[in-house]
Amino acid sequence: MQRTVLPIALAFCLVLLTSLYWNPGGDPGADPAIAQRQMALPRTYVENVRSWQYTEDGMLKEVLEADRADYFAGKDSSELQQPRFYSHDGNDRTWSATADEGTFRHRPGVLQLRSTVRLVNDQTGGTLATQAMTLNTRKNTAVSRVPVTITQNESILRADGMTADLNTERIVMSPNVETTYVQARP
């Protein structure tokens, strides 16, 4: 009887060790809490990152920089620290956007900027300041639904929101627009 118990016990241990080897830790998909924690972790992170995008004819279209970018595969987005975005239209007209934090959603090409957001027309020096702004890099537009202040020389324009077309350099401020116009000195 002892001779049959020993081989059965050895076979059982061998099967147990093999199952641990082939699937250590079990199936993370079986436990939703484990899968949720894994999705909350970045797949990749990069420091001092810079990305260039060009048009079909080889002209520089945009540059996106950040001090740090954490890529989350499940959301197909990157969390950015100190993001900087530069938009070029091919006619030497550029816009620069900066913020303390941002999120870039890769597939739709949407950059959401948060905290101390600045959008500057590099030719005129006009500066738009707000706390949150969404840039659509495909359409080259910007939208803010929170209070916005534009300063140009000594003139100030305030509103509770704005939309901007960066290609045509047209900004529509609304609602509740207030302005202080100071005529430029010669």
Side-chain angles (χ1 to χ4, degrees), residues 27 101 122 150 181:
D27 180 15
E101 301 171 353
D122 295 327
I150 294 179
Y181 176 73

Side-chain angles (χ1 to χ4, degrees), residues 49-170:
V49 63
R50 178 180 290 161
S51 165
W52 297 273
Q53 184 172 357
Y54 295 88
T55 63
E56 292 176 4
D57 12 339
M59 301 294 293
L60 181 61
K61 182 181 178 219
E62 66 190 37
V63 178
L64 178 60
E65 301 176 335
D67 288 355
R68 181 179 168 111
D70 294 349
Y71 175 69
F72 295 86
K75 298 186 273 184
D76 191 32
S77 67
S78 293
E79 292 297 320
L80 308 172
Q81 293 177 5
Q82 300 296 315
R84 297 168 300 280
F85 176 76
Y86 308 99
S87 171
H88 301 264
D89 74 346
N91 292 319
D92 294 328
R93 292 188 315 204
T94 60
W95 291 82
S96 302
T98 61
D100 291 338
E101 301 171 353
T103 302
F104 185 67
R105 294 184 323 198
H106 296 273
R107 190 163 318 233
V110 173
L111 176 62
Q112 295 171 308
L113 300 174
R114 299 178 302 279
S115 184
T116 317
V117 179
R118 300 278 183 267
L119 179 64
V120 178
N121 182 313
D122 295 327
Q123 286 64 52
T124 66
T127 302
L128 187 144
T130 186
Q131 288 301 309
M133 180 184 299
T134 301
L135 288 158
N136 185 318
T137 64
R138 303 241 196 302
K139 296 179 181 177
N140 221 16
T141 59
V143 175
S144 180
R145 306 247 185 261
V146 297
V148 175
T149 302
I150 294 179
T151 55
Q152 174 84 37
N153 299 323
E154 295 180 35
S155 298
I156 299 172
L157 184 64
R158 291 186 180 91
D160 288 342
M162 71 89 199
T163 59
D165 184 328
L166 304 182
N167 291 328
T168 63
E169 298 184 350
R170 181 175 178 192

Side-chain angles (χ1 to χ4, degrees), residues 2-17:
Q2 263 188 341
R3 288 185 177 197
T4 58
V5 173
L6 186 59
I8 292 174
L10 284 173
F12 179 76
C13 287
L14 184 62
V15 168
L16 181 63
L17 287 172

